[in-house]
Amino acid sequence: MLFEQNRKRIFSLAYQYTKNKEDAEDILQETFIKTYNYLDKYKVENETNFSSWIYRIGINCSIDYLRKKKNKKEDFSDWDKWEKTIGSNHSNPEHTIGLEQLREKISHLVEELSPRQRMTFILKHYQQFSIKEIAEYLDCSEGSVKKQLFRAVSAIRSPLKKYLWEKDYGMQKI
Amino acid sequence: MACKKYKEKIVLHLYGELGENDAKDLMAHIEGCADCAEEFAYTQKIFQVLDETKTDDIPEANWEKCWNTIDVGIQGKERKKKSFLLYPRWAYASAALLIVFTVGFFFGRMAFLKPAESRSMLLEGSQSAMYPSIQEHFESLKPVLVEYANYTASPENGTITIDKNIVRNLIIQNILLKRMIADEDPSTKEILEDVDLVLREIANQEGDDAHTLSMIKELIQERGILYEIEVSKTI
C-alpha cells in the first residue's frame, strides 16, 4: 500500500538521518501533520507525484528538526568524549577494529556534517538516489548537490582514512 | 587546480555519476598523476568501508504513539472546522492517514498511467478522477451490505458479526470520499451519505440484537443502496 510505503520510507530516512528512534518518530509525525495541512495546496498545485511530494516534506522536516536541535544544544561536539571511549582500545595489541566500532565512527563523522550535507550524503549513499533526484528533493541545482556531496565525502574521508590507518584496517596495502 | 577538479570527479565517478567522456578523462589523468592515483585508491577504499558498514537495521517505530501525536496535531487545526466535531478522536488521526492514502492512491495511479491517459484524467477534472477510488470503496462495501440485506430473523440464522475495525475504516473512507467529492457529484454524494447512515448503525450494533439487524436491512433496502452502487458503475 502506498501509505504504508511512505510511512516506512520516511521513518527509515529520518532514522538514518538522526540515528535516533525518538527523533525519527518526531520527524514522521511532523511530516504527516504538515502533509495533512498542505493537502489542499498539493491538490491545487500538483505537478509532482504524491510519494515524491510527501518524501520532500519528510526531507525538509528532517533538516529543520536537526537545525532546531543543533541550535538548542550548547555543546554538540562530544567528539573528544567519543574519541576517549572508542579510542581507548589501544590496549588491544593487534589494533584491530570491529565492524560495530567502525560503524560508530562513521556514524559520528556523519553527525558532524552540516544538516544539508548530511542529508545529501544520506540520500546519495544510503538511499541511493541520483544527483538529479536529490536536486529535485532539495530544490537546488545539480551542481550544488555535487558540491555538497564532495564536501561531505571529504569531511568523512580524511578522519576516517587516518583512523583506519591507525587501526591497521588494510590501508597500508594501498 | 586541475587536480582539485579531478578529486571532485573521483567522488562522482565512484557514485557512477560521471559521464563516459568525463570518466575516460579522469582515468587518463589518474594514469599520469601519482597524487590523484593515490587519492582515487584511498577514496575507493573508504567507499568500500562505508559499504561494508552499511546496515538495514532500522528499528520499528512506535506507530501508536505517532498516531496519537498526529491526532493531537490535526485536532488543533480541525477544531476551527465545526463540521468535524461530530466525529470521535480516532477518526481525526485515521482520517488524516486515509486522506494521505487516498490522494496517494489516486496520484500514484496517475503516475503509472501513460502520459496521454494521465492528461485526460486531469482534464476531465476531479469528479472522474475520483471514480476509481469510489468504485473501489463501493466494492469493499458490497460484501458487508449484502450480508445485512440478506439477513432473515430466525433462530437458525443467528447474528452477523463483522470486525468493528473494518467498519470504522469503511466509515472513515466514506467520510473522506464525501469530503473530496464535495458538491461536484451530488448523486454519488447522496449514496455516500446513505452508506454513512448504514455503517454507523453497524458500528453501533451490540451483540445479536435482531431488531437492529432488521433495521439495518430495511435501511439498505429502503434507500436502494446496493442498486445505486450497481447503477453508479454504469455511469
Side-chain angles (χ1 to χ4, degrees):
Chain A
M1 268 180 15
L2 209 83
F3 164 68
E4 196 74 5
Q5 282 167 5
N6 285 325
R7 180 177 89 166
K8 286 186 176 160
R9 278 176 78 209
I10 290 161
F11 181 75
S12 155
L13 169 78
Y15 181 77
Q16 279 175 332
Y17 188 67
T18 59
K19 287 282 169 204
N20 181 299
K21 190 183 163 214
E22 280 72 32
D23 289 347
E25 284 173 351
D26 284 349
I27 290 168
L28 180 75
Q29 291 154 12
E30 185 67 20
T31 303
F32 276 100
I33 291 169
K34 277 199 174 156
T35 303
Y36 181 78
N37 292 340
Y38 295 143
L39 207 56
D40 289 341
K41 205 176 168 192
Y42 172 73
K43 281 192 269 181
V44 175
E45 296 174 3
N46 169 49
E47 277 175 7
T48 134
N49 111 9
F50 184 77
S51 288
S52 304
W53 183 67
I54 189 170
Y55 200 69
R56 190 190 286 183
I57 294 178
I59 287 171
N60 287 329
C61 282
S62 303
I63 295 174
D64 287 349
Y65 188 88
L66 202 69
R67 276 193 189 133
K68 277 181 209 157
K69 204 174 175 186
K70 279 207 168 185
N71 287 341
K72 273 187 202 164
K73 252 185 178 175
E74 280 179 18
D75 177 24
F76 52 84
S77 173
D78 51 357
W79 172 250
D80 294 339
K81 206 166 61 187
W82 185 87
E83 198 73 274
K84 273 173 201 157
T85 328
I86 303 294
S88 64
N89 285 352
H90 282 291
S91 54
N92 181 348
E94 288 177 5
H95 281 226
T96 50
I97 42 170
L99 207 60
E100 209 44 54
Q101 254 183 303
L102 199 52
R103 246 181 223 136
E104 275 188 65
K105 172 80 182 177
I106 292 166
S107 174
H108 190 89
L109 292 171
V110 173
E111 275 174 36
E112 291 288 301
L113 301 173
S114 74
R116 212 170 164 83
Q117 273 177 16
R118 193 199 292 202
M119 183 54 83
T120 307
F121 179 74
I122 283 167
L123 289 174
K124 183 69 212 166
H125 203 89
Y126 295 106
Q127 302 278 330
Q128 296 179 333
F129 285 109
S130 70
I131 284 180
K132 189 171 180 276
E133 286 169 318
I134 299 171
E136 279 166 17
Y137 280 134
L138 297 178
D139 200 18
C140 63
S141 69
E142 289 182 38
S144 166
V145 174
K146 285 177 186 172
K147 273 206 176 75
Q148 295 278 347
L149 189 63
F150 177 68
R151 281 180 194 154
V153 171
S154 301
I156 293 167
R157 185 176 50 191
S158 306
L160 192 59
K161 184 173 136 185
K162 188 170 165 267
Y163 181 77
L164 294 173
W165 182 279
E166 283 169 4
K167 301 283 175 183
D168 191 13
Y169 197 82
M171 295 302 274
Q172 286 90 332
K173 287 173 196 160
I174 295 167
Chain B
M1 188 64 195
C3 282
K4 196 194 167 205
K5 186 184 84 182
Y6 285 111
K7 279 170 187 169
E8 282 189 27
K9 283 188 175 179
I10 287 171
V11 173
L12 295 176
H13 179 63
L14 290 172
Y15 276 127
E17 290 276 0
L18 214 54
E20 203 181 325
N21 290 340
D22 278 341
K24 275 183 191 164
D25 179 40
L26 172 69
M27 295 326 274
H29 175 81
I30 283 173
E31 273 179 33
C33 175
D35 189 31
C36 284
E38 194 188 69
E39 179 88 4
F40 182 75
Y42 274 130
T43 310
Q44 207 168 22
K45 180 74 189 171
I46 296 293
F47 269 58
Q48 187 194 323
V49 170
L50 286 172
D51 287 339
E52 277 171 14
T53 52
K54 254 186 202 174
T55 171
D56 296 329
D57 210 7
I58 308 282
E60 270 294 310
N62 181 346
W63 302 121
E64 204 176 322
K65 188 190 105 188
C66 291
W67 303 151
N68 287 340
T69 312
I70 293 168
D71 175 20
V72 172
I74 289 165
Q75 273 202 74
K77 304 278 173 189
E78 287 297 322
R79 227 168 253 138
K80 290 166 193 165
K81 298 174 187 171
K82 287 183 182 172
S83 61
F84 262 77
L85 288 176
L86 294 168
Y87 304 111
R89 284 188 64 177
W90 55 263
Y92 293 113
S94 314
L97 300 176
L98 272 161
I99 283 185
V100 168
F101 168 71
T102 310
V103 177
F105 173 77
F106 160 55
F107 286 104
R109 179 173 286 212
M110 281 186 58
F112 287 106
L113 288 175
K114 289 173 188 165
E117 287 175 308
S118 171
R119 244 192 330 274
S120 73
M121 268 179 87
L122 278 175
L123 289 172
E124 280 166 38
S126 60
Q127 182 185 328
S128 57
M130 289 294 299
Y131 188 75
S133 303
I134 288 169
Q135 283 310 315
E136 200 160 307
H137 175 57
F138 284 162
E139 283 305 313
S140 353
L141 278 169
K142 251 165 58 183
V144 179
L145 298 178
V146 167
E147 186 83 14
Y148 281 89
N150 292 335
Y151 173 74
T152 315
S154 72
E156 304 87 57
N157 277 349
T159 186
I160 300 172
T161 313
I162 288 176
D163 185 346
K164 288 277 162 78
N165 284 330
I166 295 175
V167 183
R168 277 179 177 186
N169 286 342
L170 287 172
I171 292 177
I172 295 158
Q173 182 88 358
N174 208 67
I175 292 169
L176 293 169
L177 287 170
K178 251 194 324 178
R179 185 183 159 184
M180 290 175 94
I181 207 146
D183 298 320
E184 288 172 23
D185 184 353
S187 59
T188 305
K189 196 182 167 192
E190 208 170 299
I191 303 173
L192 293 171
E193 275 167 0
D194 289 341
V195 167
D196 195 61
L197 273 177
V198 172
L199 290 175
R200 276 163 201 283
E201 287 299 334
I202 295 174
N204 293 329
Q205 177 200 334
E206 299 272 342
D208 55 351
D209 176 7
H211 173 70
T212 311
L213 292 175
S214 302
M215 202 188 77
I216 295 169
K217 178 184 176 174
E218 276 170 32
L219 201 56
I220 295 169
Q221 286 172 345
E222 271 173 23
R223 311 246 168 176
I225 298 174
L226 283 166
Y227 172 74
E228 293 289 347
I229 285 175
E230 283 306 311
V231 169
S232 77
K233 274 190 195 168
T234 60
I235 296 168

